[in-house]
Amino acid sequence: MEKLNDTYLKVHSYESGGTVDGPGIRFVVFTQGCPLRCQYCHNPDTWDAKGGQIKTAKEVVAEVLKYKKFMEFSGGGVTFSGGEPLMQKTSLLPIFKALKRQKVHIALDTAGTTNIDETTLNLLDLTDMVLLDVKHLDDTAHKKLTGLTNERTLDFLNVLRDKNIRTWVRWVVVPNINDSAEYGEKIAGFIKQYPNVELVELLPYHRSGVFKWKELGIEYPLENVPEPTKEAIKELAGILEKQGIKTLYAK
Ligand code: SF4
């Protein structure tokens, strides 16, 4: 308990009743700070690690536990999202331990942008499932899209396979960047190497966060990129399904 009082987590916000960040009804903790700069980010207000509200681990655990009954009833749990939650993995460790003791289902929504050290491995031992954002398989395109290499994400996915952790891969489909049929085939071939990946979730790029870029005074790089159509998403999902990969997307 002592550790929970002495550990601090920078939180951007909480969301109760979430239904899009993992199975069942979820309580979502959006952590503050992200090392990536995705061109389509709809939460650029989570980027600055100096921002957010400082909470003790005890406060975070207490907040999550308020919703335990709803989570259990729906087969849900808590999802740690961001930002990049792994930026604060040392703080997350005692939080995950406390929540596991209470038998709360824990999902981690991450781009895997961290080094694989003991803290990462210990945290994963307490994680029931991972929602892994694979932004682009081509490293040059990944760097252009996010500002960083995809090496850490792919290393992270290898660890998830080694530990056999239930994983949903998330693919934010951005027109002209990663929405070709050829790219779909590439994703399918890649995912087949990972038996721990239960499904690929296709998330259409959307422009709902553009106003936040304007508020922060940052130029939005995808100004002329349209949102993909439902048909386009369905076609890409079809490519994966043909190869035996389960998909999830808004119909
Ligand atoms: S990883 Fe998520 S929070 Fe970070 S820049 Fe990309 S979309 Fe935004």
Side-chain angles (χ1 to χ4, degrees):
M1 228 40 189
E2 218 22 60
K3 195 126 180 95
L4 290 179
N5 274 326
D6 294 346
T7 303
Y8 299 93
L9 187 77
K10 288 203 131 193
V11 173
H12 172 270
S13 54
Y14 295 128
E15 186 185 297
S16 57
T19 54
V20 293
D21 293 302
I25 296 177
R26 317 220 41 106
F27 184 80
V28 188
V29 179
F30 292 96
T31 60
Q32 185 72 25
C34 187
L36 296 178
R37 292 292 177 266
C38 300
Q39 292 185 325
Y40 54 73
C41 182
H42 53 267
N43 288 322
D45 46 335
T46 64
W47 289 352
D48 183 2
K50 294 195 197 90
Q53 310 161 52
I54 299 172
K55 304 277 186 193
T56 64
K58 193 176 177 184
E59 285 172 318
V60 175
V61 170
E63 196 62 34
V64 174
L65 291 179
K66 278 187 200 166
Y67 301 89
K68 197 170 173 231
K69 281 217 168 81
F70 293 99
M71 297 170 185
E72 281 173 354
F73 179 72
S74 69
V78 62
T79 300
F80 287 84
S81 183
E84 172 54 83
L86 291 173
M87 272 187 89
Q88 299 186 75
K89 60 189 176 185
T90 310
S91 300
L92 288 180
L93 197 54
I95 294 175
F96 278 32
K97 277 185 189 158
L99 291 172
K100 264 292 97 187
R101 274 198 295 272
Q102 298 289 331
K103 300 196 176 5
V104 174
H105 180 275
I106 302 174
L108 184 61
D109 175 16
T110 174
T113 37
T114 191
N115 56 332
I116 310 294
D117 58 8
E118 215 184 317
T119 309
T120 305
L121 296 174
N122 289 339
L123 196 68
L124 285 176
D125 286 338
L126 298 160
T127 303
D128 293 291
M129 73 175 295
V130 171
L131 312 171
L132 184 69
D133 288 314
V134 177
K135 319 264 182 191
H136 210 298
L137 286 178
D138 177 83
D139 198 35
T140 307
H142 191 279
K143 278 184 196 145
K144 190 168 176 217
L145 187 61
T146 71
L148 286 181
T149 168
N150 63 12
E151 279 170 18
R152 287 196 155 175
T153 307
L154 303 184
D155 286 351
F156 193 77
L157 183 53
N158 287 334
V159 174
L160 297 179
R161 177 176 56 190
D162 295 347
K163 286 187 169 286
N164 196 25
I165 294 179
R166 179 187 183 193
T167 301
W168 291 5
V169 163
R170 295 181 132 182
W171 169 14
V172 177
V173 177
V174 192
N176 307 322
I177 293 179
N178 62 7
D179 70 330
S180 66
E182 192 191 352
Y183 185 77
E185 297 286 358
K186 199 173 167 186
I187 287 259
F190 176 74
I191 293 300
K192 279 205 248 171
Q193 307 170 72
Y194 293 90
N196 61 310
V197 174
E198 185 178 309
L199 56 83
V200 174
E201 183 173 15
L202 292 91
L203 299 163
Y205 155 72
H206 64 82
R207 302 177 57 86
S208 65
V210 178
F211 77 97
K212 292 189 186 171
W213 289 68
K214 297 213 164 110
E215 274 176 10
L216 292 167
I218 330 167
E219 196 183 331
Y220 188 66
L222 302 182
E223 199 50 73
N224 298 313
V225 175
E227 294 181 354
T229 61
K230 279 198 169 175
E231 291 69 39
I233 297 291
K234 196 175 165 191
E235 272 176 35
L236 290 171
I239 292 173
L240 300 188
E241 283 160 13
K242 245 193 219 155
Q243 303 240 21
I245 295 163
K246 205 171 148 194
T247 62
L248 177 67
Y249 59 99
K251 306 265 173 3

